[in-house]
Structures are given as structure tokens and as C-alpha cells.
Amino acid sequence: MTRVAFIGLGNMGGPMALNLLRAGHQVHAFDLSEQALARLTAEGAKAAATAAAAVEGAEVIFSMLPAGRHVEQLYLDDSEGDCLLDLIDASTPVVDCSTIAAETARKVASAAAARGRRMLDAPVSGGVGGAEAGTLTFMIGGDAELVEQVRPLFEIMGRNVFHAGPAGAGQVAKMCNNMLLAIQMAGTAEALQLGVANGLDPAVLSNIMQQSSGGNWTLNVYNPWPGVMEGVPASRGYQGGFQVDLMLKDLALALEGAAASSQTTPMGSLARSLYALHKKTGAEGAADAGSLDFSSIQQLYSR
Amino acid sequence: MTRVAFIGLGNMGGPMALNLLRAGHQVHAFDLSEQALARLTAEGAKAAATAAAAVEGAEVIFSMLPAGRHVEQLYLDDSEGDCLLDLIDASTPVVDCSTIAAETARKVASAAAARGRRMLDAPVSGGVGGAEAGTLTFMIGGDAELVEQVRPLFEIMGRNVFHAGPAGAGQVAKMCNNMLLAIQMAGTAEALQLGVANGLDPAVLSNIMQQSSGGNWTLNVYNPWPGVMEGVPASRGYQGGFQVDLMLKDLALALEGAAASSQTTPMGSLARSLYALHKKTGAEGAADAGSLDFSSIQQLYSR
Amino acid sequence: MTRVAFIGLGNMGGPMALNLLRAGHQVHAFDLSEQALARLTAEGAKAAATAAAAVEGAEVIFSMLPAGRHVEQLYLDDSEGDCLLDLIDASTPVVDCSTIAAETARKVASAAAARGRRMLDAPVSGGVGGAEAGTLTFMIGGDAELVEQVRPLFEIMGRNVFHAGPAGAGQVAKMCNNMLLAIQMAGTAEALQLGVANGLDPAVLSNIMQQSSGGNWTLNVYNPWPGVMEGVPASRGYQGGFQVDLMLKDLALALEGAAASSQTTPMGSLARSLYALHKKTGAEGAADAGSLDFSSIQQLYSR
Amino acid sequence: MTRVAFIGLGNMGGPMALNLLRAGHQVHAFDLSEQALARLTAEGAKAAATAAAAVEGAEVIFSMLPAGRHVEQLYLDDSEGDCLLDLIDASTPVVDCSTIAAETARKVASAAAARGRRMLDAPVSGGVGGAEAGTLTFMIGGDAELVEQVRPLFEIMGRNVFHAGPAGAGQVAKMCNNMLLAIQMAGTAEALQLGVANGLDPAVLSNIMQQSSGGNWTLNVYNPWPGVMEGVPASRGYQGGFQVDLMLKDLALALEGAAASSQTTPMGSLARSLYALHKKTGAEGAADAGSLDFSSIQQLYSR
């Protein structure tokens, strides 16, 4: 049994902490939302009144926050005295699972290293479903030995654990992967619509491309055409899954990362434009399409 | 043993006919190039002086030609009397393996049907290597029973045999698949360069994306980054494989097919623009990049 | 007074022929539509029963047809004996004002030259409004002296008469101009929406860009934001003007011309994709946005 | 005679300050570079040892700095006591001419307002040539009366003075204008190459488009095709003018502004990708194409 601090109990952090709890670990949890905290204490977690209280005595610390500014504030804010990194034991691994800019991850990791603390950036993919099922993919930046040390806990929450490289590399791997995912999802939707408009059955075409050089993850497990595949968002009105708004956030991170490193990403930029157009034009009633699953980009082509 | 007519013995048709020959079938071959014809007769094929002579008495007819105008001319030209379709026995399956516009394929199939002839459009993917190894993928349009009748011959030349739908559907499936392939190859190259420019090892990033939601055929068997994968064009100076010029031809077919059916293909159009820019800017010495393998799009990003 | 044959009396050809008539010329007109023909004879034109009848005795021949296949058919079809070019006097200038592929224009001009006939391709811009007002722009390919000879008639129908180069050059100039126009209209709409979303008044921003390095024809006389400029389609619900469907046709000609000459047109291709998305997503009620003026691309951004 | 403080004497600020000086105003100048400072004092300016010293007693303050972080640091840094805004007299107009994010401009203007100071954001276009010739365009955000008060000084340094709206509006107008400029420059280069590849003379085509619906500022005064227009960068090896790297910076500001306001900019994003590809592929010898004039995008198409 490990004593774990878990900070940030939202849609992702909540079920991740719960899986650690159910695997028999002790979880000291903190979240600004009392409701989120209450859900976890009801399952046996100990509520901490502050992040500082949560990390006290912890053997491993996890955080899962919405954006880079929250991560910076959590670990680096010293406006009221010591910052959180100062309060942590030097032997305690600190694992931030938030999806943030690699630059920010490196900045926080560097501040940790300057204090002799050991930190990993470990963003995940797999969505809320993966968090609940314990089947997330972790893409991790930081020291390889530290990854091995924390691996047993990663494997409770996820199915794949990748060490991508030094500090920040987890964030880089995730932004690259998700940019490619956006490109492929849009490309797949485009190819399916082209085929169907020319008389093909979407299931037949999906099957052919999946087994040919057009094959990709989307065609394997996440087909965007309604009815082709059971149990995916496309077959339930694009509800659930990975929201368009979250994909737009990930694409923004990738494009900022590209600009910051003087790289050019024409396909990723166009994918972002198409998702943004979809969000706008996909409005039905009062809501825009931002809350639909990202495979709903099919609608932009097929309306 | 089946008596087969094979018309068009180029880089693709030559090895395809050879595989039929080696499997014990009788091949009556025709090509405008005497050299191409000689290569095949040296292996046991019978040379025909004209296409009309080749099809006489054939139990199955295959053609493999460069472009739609050649297919139209072969089957429909009646400027000197009967067209080839008139000379064929009504029971003989006619299989055109050329990659051409679906519209042209439907036109020829329709002319065949009007004469009581039975025709399939059966474009392939897999390139010269697949033609030689007998591991092509056939995407077939036409009558399902006719596909089953010819299947034993397809399976000599290829590994995957897909029935895509009615006449023209083979061409539609291929243009959709290859457009998606071009999008994914460009997207993969873009993601790899973004990751490497941000400090990742291309092999590590490839491995992570391959097993995550960014996974695709390219990452599985055709990695565009030099040295990541053995035996692929990227690891031998982008020689061999599937040429940029051929991908440009396939993208032109897809975009024309999209325009003809009032569909929009922003990702496919951008992929075409990127391949065309690569062809131009990738010039070294006198030659442009058109004759390199299509995974050399990596160079556009990584120069 | 010149005796003019005018073939094709549609939305464009009708008012063009009428302007010649009103300027005192004798017009022998032909159109497949009796209604179109009747409108012109009511104004004093002589109706011809066939194209061949119209050109008999003509001193100049004009044609204005929807697409390349109609032009080929009009001038080259010899299925019932002589083609129209054979019937024309060698001294009579033949002027085709249709917007068609440069390749087709060159083919017809070449057939004319082979018969000793003298032909110009003279596509116009300015739309139905320009045709009615006699303010069209003519972009002309063919012999410079021939252009001068016909100039008095061009100047009745239009305000600007440009000699672009040899046969086909008129079509090339028009496809280049209209591709650039589509790019600029989309770019202008994009910039206006970006500014307005960030608090600027569209009229103020339009004025600034018009007088700065962002200035273009669109900002000068055809502002796409409703209410900024009086008398333009944007200020009357995008009715009238130059339809989205016609811009899509012109972009298709430009992209085919680019592909045929191995050129890359990323901006033009994206403009086409955006117009096609607009056509689809701009649907209200039963109709799509294809019949709106092309400045309605503003809606794709501003919805 | 007005007593002016001028902070930032780089390629733009130096000649701007010089023009004020030559018009008879007293300039108290500051720059971190002693060399830049010396060039101006040689012409009669008074050198200040710090920014704080420069603004003392000033009747108007101008600043011209490379990026937002410099502007924030100049006006807001209070790490060593009062920030610069605290030291300025409440009646003194503060005019920042730097090109920075509208968000940053608003933040600084808001800090100024909180202290009762009056501030304008007044980015310019026109480049080094315009700064030297006193023909810049000012796009100004802030109070209209304040603009009028400073106008006589603006008119010494520039030819056009636009009031775009409230604080930040100058930056918004500039990012919109320059994004549109990038789109039009790329589009014009694309159209010219398409025309020339199809046999047109670049000067003839330029002339036709300039006077037709494709007309834009680029065709009027800044033609990208070498030799078409005298005295422009294209006719002197793309030296001088407005560098590709600066256009990339402006496009980055526009795309960040678009993302921050949830707008989609497909044309602007593609223009950025093309400029970034040009910078990479345009390398000759050791240098990339970033230091060439932005009209050199013609090379990406025409190589």
C-alpha cells in the first residue's frame, strides 16, 4: 500500500484516483470543488483541506489539472511563503498528468530539479472512459528510473505506459499524437464521405481501407460514420467520447508548440480550422458542436 | 489451367502476368513494347500481335494500362470496325486492373453490358513490389458472382481481394484509400518532425503513436523517417516504393472525383498541394522529387 | 453597321447581344431556347433557325455558351456533314466569349486555324450586371490585330478590353484572375470576422485595410460584410451578383488548369474547399448556398 | 516645439525619432544599445540614461519595441519600485508603436488607465522604408480625442493615421490587415505562376488582374514577380522591404488572436504554413529565406 496525494479530481482525476483507491492504496485528495472531494471520500479517500495538507507524508504525488496556469500556480506559487515544491520530500516522485504546453512542463520540472525534487510530466490519452476503466495511455517525460518506480501505479490507471524522453517529452509526445489523430479523423471522414457520395457502402469502404494502406486507429476502433461500428460515439449521436472542444485545445497546444519551435504544420493547422468551422456551423438549436465527440467532424462533410 | 489474355505488360502488368504464368496458366500477352512482350514470352507466354489476337479464345481477359484514355481506346475504339468488346465471348470475364477515373470505368463497363459482356474494374494497391511478390490488394467493382469466379486468379496475384460494389466501385475505393493514405503520410511526417524538433527520438515517438490513437498503416510498416524502420524506402534514400508522381496522379483522380460529385476534400487538396510543393522544392541536381518514394514528403518538413 | 451573328442568348449572352443591337448593329441570333430567342427578336434581332443559318453572311461571330463541351459541339461537330467552322467565311472573325478550359479554347482555335479561320477566346468578367450595363471586362487570347479589328464591338459590350496573349490566353487570364478573386474574397471575409470578433467596427476596419497594404477590389467595391457598403449583394441578403456555384465552376477550371500544367495552388485549392463547405453548410430550408452571391462566404466565418 | 520621449531606437524607432527631430521637436531618447543612441544624439537628440530619465518632463512619450514582453517590462515592471507609468505626468499622452498582441496592449492600457494615465496603441505599417521616408500608416487604438491631440506628431512620421477604436484596436486592425496582406501576396504569387506556366507574360497578367476583380495592393505597388515593377524588392533579389521573418511574427500574432477569440482563420493559417515552408525550403547556402522580403514567397511557387 502506497500513500498517494491526488490533486485535481475532475472528470479525469476523479476516476483515476478512484482506481488507485480501489487497488488498495491510501489516497489523500484535494480539489477546490467540495462536491468532487466528497465523491472520493465517500469511496474511502482522505480529504485534505489544502494541496499542502494533501502532499504531507505522501510517497507519490499526482496532479491532474485543466491548464498550464493551474499547474504553475499549484507547484510554483510562493506568494504566501513556500511553494508546494518546497514542502515535498526529496524522495517523493511528483507526477503531473495534466495536458499542458511542453514549455510549461519543462519550467515546472526545472524548478523542481532546482530544489532536488523529482518530477514527471505524464499526460494521458483515452478520455473519461479510459480513466474510469483504467485503460489510459500514459506518455511520460522525465527520468527513466523514476518512471519505473511509479510504473505499478501507472498500470493501475492505464494500460500503456510510454517513456517518451526527458522532462517535457510526455507533453511533446501527446501533442504530436493528438495532432496526428485530428488529421486522421478528418481525413477518414473526408474519405468516407467521398466514397459514399460515389455509391459505396460506408461499412464496406471502412473495411477495405482498414485492411489497406489507409488503415488507422480511427477505422479500427472509432469509426466516425453513424452505424458502421457499434458502441462508438458516431452510433449514439456523437454523445460522450472526446469532445470537439478538447480536441481544439490539444490542437492549440500543438500549433503553439510548432510555432515556438519554428516548425510548420499545414495539415494540423487545416485540421484545426476544420474543427473550428465544425464547431461553428454544427450548431443545432442554441448549442454549438463543441460538446460533441470529435468524430462528429463527419457532419461537416456529410451535411 | 485457364487460358488468360493479358494486355499491358508494364511495371505492374508484367510481373502480374508472370505470376499467372508461373501458377500454371496459359497467358496470351500483348503490349505495344516488343521488349516487354519478349520478357514475358521468354518465360513461356504466347505473344499476340494485337489485342484482338490476344483475346481470341481467352477464358479470362486482364488489362493493366497507364490511364483512362488507354482503357477507352482498348475496349471502345471502333474506328477500324468492331471494338474489342465485340470480339470477346459473352461468357468471358473482362477485368481491367488499371487505375482510372470511376466515371471512365463505369462508361466502359456500361458499353460492355450493352453488348452482354461481363466486366470488372479491379485496381490494385501494393506497387511494383506487391506485383512481383503476388501480394497486391484488389479493390473490385462489378458483379459479386463474377468476382468469385475470377477470385482464384486474383489470389495468385494478390493477398487481399475486396468486392467494393457495382461497376466503378473498385476505382472509388482506391481513390478514397489512396487519398487517405496521402493525408496520413503527410500527417505522420508532420507529427514526427514536430516531435523531433522538440527533442524526441523519432523511433520512440513512432512507437508511441503507433500504439496510441495516432496509429496508422504508415507507422506500422512504412515509416517515413530515415532509419526508424529497416527495409522501407525511407531507409534507402527514398528509392523504390511508390513514387511521388504516382501519388500525385492518384490524388488528381480523387480530387476530380470529388469535384464531379460536388464533394469537398480540404485535407486531400492540401495533401496534393504539399506533394506538388515537395516535387518542386525537393529538386536536387537536375531531377525533381517526383521519382522518389512518396514517404519522402518527410523532406518537405525536415529540410 | 456590322452584321453580327450571336449564338447563345442566356443570362450573359442575351444582354450582350442586346447592347450590340441597341448600338445600331444587325444581329442574327440563335439559341436552343425559343423564349430566349423571342426576347431578342422583340428588340429587333433576326432569329436564325440554326447556328449555321445565323453565321451565314455574318461579318463577326460571337458565341457565349455554358461549358467547353458546348463550344466544341458548336464549332467542331461534323457528325452531320461540315462543321460550323467550315461554313464561315475566312475573313470573318470568330469570337467565343464562353468561360472554358484554356485547353479546349486552344483546341477549337487550332481547328479554326487549320481551316484558315481566325478565332479569339474572349471570356468576360463583370457578371450579369456588367453584361446589362455594357461594362464587362474582356480578357482575350488570339491575334493582336484581330483584337483591334473587333475592338469597337467589344467596347460596346464592355469597359475594359485586354489582350492577354495567343490563343487560349484569354481563358488563362480569366482563371488566374478569378482564382485570385476567390482567395481575396475569402481572405477579406476572414480578416473582417477576426476584427469584428475582437471589437472592431466592420466599416472602420474595411476602411483601414482598403487604404493600407490589405487593400483589394473586394474592399473597394464589393465588401462582403452586410451594411458596410450600399448597393452590393452583402447589403441585400447576398442576392444577385456572382453566384457561389459559378465561382466553384471557375475554381474548378483554375485547379484543372493547374494540375494540367503541374502547378501547385494551395491557396486556390483551400478557397475552393471553403466555398464548397459554404455551399453545403450554408443551407437554409431546402436550398443550399450555391445560388447566393459569392461574397456570402462571409457567412461561413460569421455564423 | 514639443518635448518628446522616444524609447526604442531600432530599425523602425530610430528613423521615426529622427523625423520628429528634423521637424523641430526636442527628443529625449533611450535605448539599451549605446550605438543606436549615439546615432540619434549625433543628430541632436538628448540621450537619457534610463527610460525613467527619458520620460521626465516629456509632453508626449513614444515607444517602439520588438515584442509584448518588452512593452510589459517597460511600462509595468515595478520590481525596483515605481513602474514607469507611475512616473509619467497624468496629462502626458503615452503612445506605444510596437506591434504586439492586442491582449497585451489592452493590459498595459488598462494599467495606465488605473493610474489616470492616457495611452494609445499605435502600431505602424510601411516598414523601414516608410519609417525613413515618414510615410508610415498608423493604426491606433484608444481615446479619439487623444489621437487628435497627438495627430500632428503622427503626421510627421506617417502619411495615414487611422483611429481603429478603443484600447487594443490598433493592434487588432494591424493583425487583420497583415494577415490579409499575407494571404493576398501568396495568392498573387500563386496566380502569377499559374498564368506564366500557361504561357502568359507576367507583366501582362499583372496588368489585367490589377485592373480587374483580382486587383490588390500587391499588384498596385509591390509586384512579387522579378522585373515586372521597378524599385520593388522582387526586382532586386528580394533584398530590403519587409522580411519573411517579420511576416511570420505578424501571422503568429493574428493566429494567436484568432485562437484567443475562438475564430477560425483557414486562409491565414495556410499562408503561415506556406511562409514557414518557404523559409525552410528557400535556403541558399547557409541562410534560410527568413531575411528576404516577403514577396519572395514567389520563389516557393516558381522554383
Side-chain angles (χ1 to χ4, degrees):
Chain A
M1 194 190 73
T2 304
R3 180 166 168 171
V4 175
F6 211 112
I7 297 161
L9 307 168
N11 290 336
M12 294 297 294
M16 288 168 72
L18 190 57
N19 280 327
L20 292 174
L21 207 56
R22 285 177 177 165
H25 297 290
Q26 193 181 348
V27 175
H28 290 239
F30 174 69
D31 196 288
L32 289 173
S33 152
E34 289 190 18
Q35 203 180 351
L37 203 51
R39 268 199 302 269
L40 213 67
T41 52
E43 303 272 350
K46 313 231 156 164
T50 62
V55 304
E56 204 183 319
E59 293 166 276
V60 181
I61 296 164
F62 285 96
S63 56
M64 183 49 134
L65 300 170
R69 64 180 183 280
H70 307 109
V71 175
E72 286 197 66
Q73 193 176 14
L74 173 64
Y75 288 112
L76 304 184
D77 181 24
D78 57 3
S79 60
E80 301 181 12
D82 288 342
C83 73
L84 196 70
L85 288 173
D86 292 321
L87 306 177
I88 295 168
D89 194 88
S91 64
T92 301
V94 182
V95 186
D96 179 50
C97 297
S98 318
T99 294
I100 63 177
E103 207 177 340
T104 309
R106 281 188 212 109
K107 179 182 171 186
V108 176
S110 169
R115 289 165 172 81
R117 307 303 188 265
R118 305 187 304 154
M119 185 148 192
L120 299 174
D121 53 291
V124 302
S125 74
V128 173
E132 290 171 348
T135 57
L136 293 170
T137 293
F138 286 89
M139 302 177 186
I140 310 176
D143 183 67
E145 278 181 44
L146 194 59
V147 176
E148 290 315 306
Q149 189 181 331
V150 184
R151 184 179 286 273
L153 298 178
F154 284 135
E155 291 184 341
I156 289 164
M157 297 181 285
R159 196 157 45 192
N160 290 306
V161 179
F162 296 112
H163 181 223
Q171 301 296 349
V172 175
K174 184 170 177 191
M175 80 177 178
C176 292
N177 182 76
N178 281 24
M179 183 180 80
L180 182 52
L181 172 59
I183 291 167
Q184 291 177 177
M185 183 57 91
T188 301
E190 189 168 308
L192 287 174
Q193 171 59 22
L194 178 59
V196 170
N198 281 277
L200 264 59
D201 179 286
V204 169
L205 177 57
S206 292
N207 181 47
I208 292 175
M209 296 195 299
Q210 186 191 351
Q211 297 184 60
S212 304
S213 50
N216 64 41
W217 178 87
T218 296
L219 288 166
N220 289 344
V221 303
Y222 215 94
N223 197 295
W225 195 280
V228 167
M229 200 172 265
E230 279 185 31
V232 296
S235 295
R236 52 171 190 261
Y238 300 109
Q239 299 302 310
F242 181 58
Q243 296 188 350
V244 165
D245 282 337
L246 291 173
M247 181 52 97
L248 281 167
K249 183 201 156 196
D250 282 4
L251 284 167
L253 286 173
L255 301 188
E256 284 162 23
S261 56
S262 296
Q263 299 307 310
T264 179
T265 50
M267 300 294 284
S269 297
L270 180 58
R272 190 195 168 281
S273 294
L274 294 173
Y275 270 102
L277 282 172
H278 170 46
K279 179 176 160 72
K280 277 203 170 186
T281 61
E284 292 189 14
D288 69 31
S291 62
L292 298 180
D293 177 70
F294 82 117
S295 63
S296 62
I297 190 77
Q298 187 69 65
Q299 296 181 331
L300 182 69
Y301 293 100
S302 304
R303 191 172 301 130
Chain B
M1 193 189 74
T2 304
R3 179 167 169 171
V4 175
F6 210 112
I7 298 161
L9 307 168
N11 290 334
M12 294 296 294
M16 288 168 72
L18 189 57
N19 280 326
L20 291 174
L21 207 56
R22 287 178 176 163
H25 297 289
Q26 192 181 349
V27 175
H28 289 238
F30 174 69
D31 195 289
L32 289 173
S33 153
E34 289 190 19
Q35 200 180 354
L37 203 51
R39 268 199 302 271
L40 213 66
T41 52
E43 304 272 350
K46 316 230 156 164
T50 62
V55 304
E56 204 182 319
E59 293 167 275
V60 182
I61 296 164
F62 285 97
S63 56
M64 183 49 135
L65 300 171
R69 65 181 181 278
H70 307 109
V71 175
E72 286 196 66
Q73 192 175 13
L74 173 63
Y75 289 112
L76 305 185
D77 182 22
D78 56 4
S79 59
E80 300 182 15
D82 287 342
C83 74
L84 195 71
L85 288 174
D86 291 321
L87 306 177
I88 294 168
D89 194 90
S91 64
T92 300
V94 182
V95 185
D96 179 51
C97 297
S98 318
T99 293
I100 63 176
E103 208 176 339
T104 309
R106 282 190 210 107
K107 180 182 171 186
V108 176
S110 169
R115 288 164 172 81
R117 308 304 188 262
R118 304 187 307 154
M119 185 147 192
L120 298 174
D121 52 292
V124 303
S125 74
V128 173
E132 289 171 349
T135 57
L136 294 169
T137 293
F138 286 89
M139 303 178 187
I140 311 175
D143 183 66
E145 277 181 45
L146 194 59
V147 176
E148 290 316 306
Q149 188 181 331
V150 184
R151 183 178 287 273
L153 298 178
F154 285 137
E155 291 184 341
I156 289 164
M157 297 181 285
R159 196 158 44 192
N160 291 305
V161 179
F162 295 113
H163 181 222
Q171 301 296 349
V172 175
K174 184 170 177 192
M175 80 177 178
C176 292
N177 181 77
N178 280 24
M179 182 181 80
L180 182 52
L181 171 60
I183 292 168
Q184 290 177 177
M185 183 58 91
T188 300
E190 188 169 309
L192 286 174
Q193 171 59 21
L194 178 59
V196 170
N198 281 277
L200 263 60
D201 179 287
V204 169
L205 177 57
S206 292
N207 182 46
I208 292 175
M209 296 195 299
Q210 187 192 349
Q211 297 185 58
S212 304
S213 48
N216 64 41
W217 178 87
T218 296
L219 289 166
N220 289 344
V221 304
Y222 215 94
N223 197 296
W225 196 280
V228 166
M229 200 172 266
E230 279 184 32
V232 296
S235 295
R236 51 171 191 261
Y238 300 109
Q239 298 303 309
F242 181 59
Q243 294 187 351
V244 165
D245 281 338
L246 291 173
M247 180 51 97
L248 281 167
K249 182 201 157 197
D250 281 3
L251 284 167
L253 286 173
L255 301 188
E256 283 161 25
S261 55
S262 296
Q263 299 307 311
T264 179
T265 50
M267 300 293 285
S269 298
L270 180 59
R272 190 195 168 282
S273 294
L274 294 172
Y275 269 103
L277 282 172
H278 169 46
K279 179 176 159 71
K280 277 203 169 186
T281 62
E284 292 188 17
D288 68 30
S291 62
L292 299 180
D293 176 71
F294 82 117
S295 64
S296 63
I297 190 78
Q298 186 70 63
Q299 296 181 331
L300 182 69
Y301 292 101
S302 303
R303 192 172 300 130
Chain C
M1 193 190 73
T2 304
R3 179 167 170 172
V4 175
F6 211 111
I7 299 161
L9 306 167
N11 290 335
M12 294 296 295
M16 288 167 72
L18 189 56
N19 280 327
L20 291 175
L21 207 55
R22 288 179 176 164
H25 297 289
Q26 190 181 351
V27 176
H28 289 238
F30 174 68
D31 196 289
L32 289 172
S33 153
E34 290 190 17
Q35 202 180 352
L37 203 49
R39 268 199 302 270
L40 213 66
T41 52
E43 304 271 350
K46 314 230 157 165
T50 62
V55 304
E56 204 183 319
E59 293 166 275
V60 182
I61 297 164
F62 286 96
S63 55
M64 183 49 132
L65 301 170
R69 64 180 182 281
H70 307 108
V71 176
E72 287 196 66
Q73 194 176 9
L74 172 64
Y75 288 110
L76 305 184
D77 182 22
D78 57 3
S79 60
E80 300 181 14
D82 287 343
C83 73
L84 195 70
L85 289 173
D86 292 321
L87 306 177
I88 296 168
D89 193 272
S91 65
T92 301
V94 181
V95 186
D96 180 50
C97 298
S98 318
T99 293
I100 63 175
E103 207 177 339
T104 309
R106 283 189 211 107
K107 180 182 170 185
V108 176
S110 168
R115 288 165 172 80
R117 307 303 186 264
R118 305 187 306 153
M119 184 148 193
L120 299 173
D121 52 292
V124 303
S125 74
V128 173
E132 290 171 347
T135 58
L136 293 170
T137 293
F138 286 89
M139 302 177 188
I140 310 176
D143 183 66
E145 278 181 44
L146 194 58
V147 175
E148 290 317 306
Q149 188 180 334
V150 184
R151 184 180 286 273
L153 298 178
F154 285 136
E155 291 183 342
I156 289 164
M157 296 182 284
R159 195 158 43 193
N160 291 305
V161 180
F162 296 113
H163 181 223
Q171 302 296 348
V172 175
K174 182 169 178 192
M175 81 178 177
C176 292
N177 182 76
N178 281 22
M179 183 181 79
L180 182 52
L181 171 59
I183 291 168
Q184 290 177 178
M185 182 56 91
T188 300
E190 189 169 307
L192 286 174
Q193 171 59 22
L194 178 59
V196 170
N198 281 276
L200 264 59
D201 180 285
V204 170
L205 177 57
S206 292
N207 181 47
I208 293 175
M209 296 195 299
Q210 187 191 349
Q211 297 184 59
S212 305
S213 50
N216 63 41
W217 177 89
T218 297
L219 289 166
N220 290 344
V221 303
Y222 216 94
N223 197 295
W225 194 280
V228 167
M229 199 171 266
E230 278 184 32
V232 296
S235 295
R236 52 172 190 260
Y238 300 110
Q239 298 302 310
F242 181 57
Q243 294 189 351
V244 166
D245 281 337
L246 291 174
M247 180 51 97
L248 281 168
K249 183 201 157 195
D250 281 3
L251 284 167
L253 286 173
L255 302 187
E256 282 162 25
S261 56
S262 296
Q263 299 307 310
T264 180
T265 50
M267 300 295 284
S269 298
L270 180 58
R272 191 197 168 279
S273 294
L274 294 173
Y275 269 102
L277 282 172
H278 170 46
K279 180 176 159 71
K280 277 203 169 187
T281 62
E284 291 188 18
D288 68 31
S291 61
L292 298 180
D293 176 71
F294 82 117
S295 64
S296 63
I297 190 77
Q298 187 70 63
Q299 296 182 331
L300 182 69
Y301 292 101
S302 303
R303 192 171 298 131
Chain D
M1 191 191 75
T2 304
R3 178 166 170 172
V4 175
F6 211 112
I7 299 162
L9 307 168
N11 290 336
M12 295 296 295
M16 288 167 73
L18 189 57
N19 280 328
L20 291 174
L21 209 55
R22 287 177 177 166
H25 297 288
Q26 190 182 350
V27 176
H28 290 238
F30 174 69
D31 195 288
L32 290 173
S33 153
E34 289 189 18
Q35 201 179 352
L37 203 50
R39 267 198 302 269
L40 214 65
T41 52
E43 304 271 349
K46 316 230 156 164
T50 62
V55 304
E56 206 183 317
E59 292 166 276
V60 181
I61 297 164
F62 285 97
S63 55
M64 184 49 135
L65 301 170
R69 64 180 182 281
H70 307 109
V71 176
E72 286 196 66
Q73 194 176 10
L74 172 64
Y75 289 111
L76 305 184
D77 182 22
D78 56 4
S79 61
E80 299 181 14
D82 287 343
C83 73
L84 195 71
L85 288 174
D86 292 320
L87 306 177
I88 295 168
D89 193 89
S91 65
T92 302
V94 182
V95 185
D96 180 50
C97 297
S98 319
T99 293
I100 63 176
E103 207 177 340
T104 309
R106 283 189 211 107
K107 180 181 169 185
V108 176
S110 169
R115 288 164 173 82
R117 307 307 188 260
R118 304 187 306 154
M119 184 148 194
L120 299 175
D121 52 291
V124 304
S125 75
V128 173
E132 290 170 349
T135 57
L136 293 170
T137 294
F138 287 89
M139 303 178 187
I140 310 176
D143 183 66
E145 280 181 42
L146 194 58
V147 175
E148 291 315 306
Q149 189 180 331
V150 184
R151 183 179 288 272
L153 299 178
F154 285 136
E155 291 185 342
I156 290 164
M157 298 181 283
R159 195 157 45 192
N160 290 305
V161 180
F162 295 114
H163 181 222
Q171 301 296 347
V172 175
K174 183 169 178 192
M175 80 177 178
C176 291
N177 182 77
N178 281 23
M179 183 180 80
L180 182 52
L181 171 60
I183 291 167
Q184 290 177 178
M185 182 58 90
T188 300
E190 190 170 307
L192 286 174
Q193 171 59 22
L194 178 59
V196 170
N198 281 277
L200 263 60
D201 179 287
V204 170
L205 177 57
S206 292
N207 181 46
I208 293 175
M209 297 196 298
Q210 187 192 350
Q211 297 184 60
S212 305
S213 50
N216 63 40
W217 176 88
T218 296
L219 288 166
N220 289 344
V221 302
Y222 215 94
N223 197 296
W225 195 280
V228 168
M229 199 171 266
E230 277 185 32
V232 296
S235 294
R236 53 172 190 260
Y238 300 110
Q239 298 303 309
F242 181 57
Q243 295 188 349
V244 166
D245 281 337
L246 292 173
M247 181 51 97
L248 281 167
K249 182 201 157 196
D250 282 2
L251 284 167
L253 286 173
L255 302 188
E256 283 162 24
S261 56
S262 296
Q263 298 308 310
T264 180
T265 50
M267 300 293 285
S269 298
L270 180 59
R272 189 195 169 281
S273 294
L274 294 173
Y275 270 102
L277 282 171
H278 169 46
K279 179 177 160 70
K280 278 202 168 185
T281 62
E284 290 188 17
D288 68 30
S291 61
L292 298 179
D293 176 71
F294 82 118
S295 64
S296 63
I297 189 78
Q298 187 70 64
Q299 296 181 330
L300 181 69
Y301 292 100
S302 303
R303 193 172 299 130

